[in-house]
Amino acid sequence: GFGELAKSFNAMAVSLKEQCNKLQETERLAVVGELAAGMAHEIKNPMAGIKVSMEVLCQDSPLGQEDKEVLCRVINEIDRITALLKGLLNYARPPKPEMVSLDVNQLLESTIKSAKYALQNQKNKPKDPERQLKFVKDFNQNLPQIVADPGQLQQIFLNLILNAVDAISSITDRQGVITIQTTRPSDEFVEISIADNGKGIESVSLEKIFNPFFTTKPQGTGLGLAITKRLIEQYNGGRIVVANNPDGNGVTFTITLPVHQIESSLDVGTTKKL
């Protein structure tokens, strides 16, 4: 009767409100995208000019070593500003994904190799995380191939793995472990989880972790996870969640990706092996 009708109206109202919020968010991002593009263009060119001038001064001038070091610091800061602009653009206007059929397990294997390579080539500090770091792979071997952009997925996985490395770099009482798991919760989706056994994240920070410009790192821009979330949500039904681990050690990021895309320009015969 009227009770059921009222319930239906309430459910419809909630659904409409969610759709409106999503639409407003999309419109806001479109505006931010245009502003970011204009701003990046206007700032990028003078920055490039300043950087070239600094490099010339650094190399060809008779300045003392201390003064040259100051110039080198300025060049590094210019690089940071340029990277921040690039990140802002990637967040506001993510590049259109180039869809191919791919094997998630293979992509994760190659991403783990890239992460290890990146760690080995960092300037080794006394507390080099690689020395106390272990990767545990728990892959479902019956995963279907999915339709996605391999470059973007690799960027997503690498970002989460390197974040996990950061999270366990300060652990001294136990071996740092990063566990990467793939599962198939249903025929339509695959799930990828990346867990660390670090200190975990305070619940206040956990709620804001995907917000643009929110960061817990001294040198962070707060755009890495925001971009990650935007890229994942481009896929129909794609999502990412984060939670502290039940044992109190570390966090787990869980990504859900659809096996198929509703609209795809995929050439069915094409499979990109990575």
Side-chain angles (χ1 to χ4, degrees), residues 83-154:
L84 184 59
L85 284 172
K86 190 179 174 188
L88 182 60
L89 268 176
N90 281 341
Y91 174 70
R93 298 165 110 187
K96 196 171 190 268
E98 291 181 20
M99 302 296 208
V100 296
S101 179
L102 58 85
D103 181 326
V104 170
N105 291 342
Q106 275 185 13
L107 192 66
L108 281 165
E109 286 278 8
S110 74
T111 308
I112 291 164
K113 280 180 191 163
S114 297
K116 285 179 176 175
Y117 184 76
L119 291 172
Q120 284 164 2
N121 285 280
Q122 280 177 351
K123 287 176 183 172
N124 286 339
K125 294 167 188 164
K127 276 184 167 181
D128 179 14
E130 179 62 3
R131 284 182 201 151
Q132 55 193 58
L133 184 60
K134 182 183 173 190
F135 283 95
V136 174
K137 292 178 285 193
D138 179 11
F139 294 168
N140 178 335
Q141 297 306 323
N142 296 317
L143 278 193
Q145 292 217 326
I146 72 166
V147 176
D149 181 317
Q152 287 187 4
L153 279 196
Q154 188 145 27

Side-chain angles (χ1 to χ4, degrees), residues 196-216:
D196 65 69
N197 67 335
K199 293 177 181 174
I201 300 170
E202 291 175 19
S203 55
V204 180
S205 298
L206 213 56
E207 287 169 18
K208 301 176 185 170
I209 204 160
F210 295 111
N211 290 1
F213 307 111
F214 177 80
T215 183
T216 55

Side-chain angles (χ1 to χ4, degrees), residues 35 41 63 66 84 115 146 156 168 182 215 219 233 243 270 273:
L35 285 171
H41 184 70
L63 290 172
E66 274 187 37
L84 184 59
I146 72 166
I156 289 162
I168 59 183
T182 58
T215 183
Q219 293 290 314
E233 288 179 352
T270 307
K273 295 287 180 192

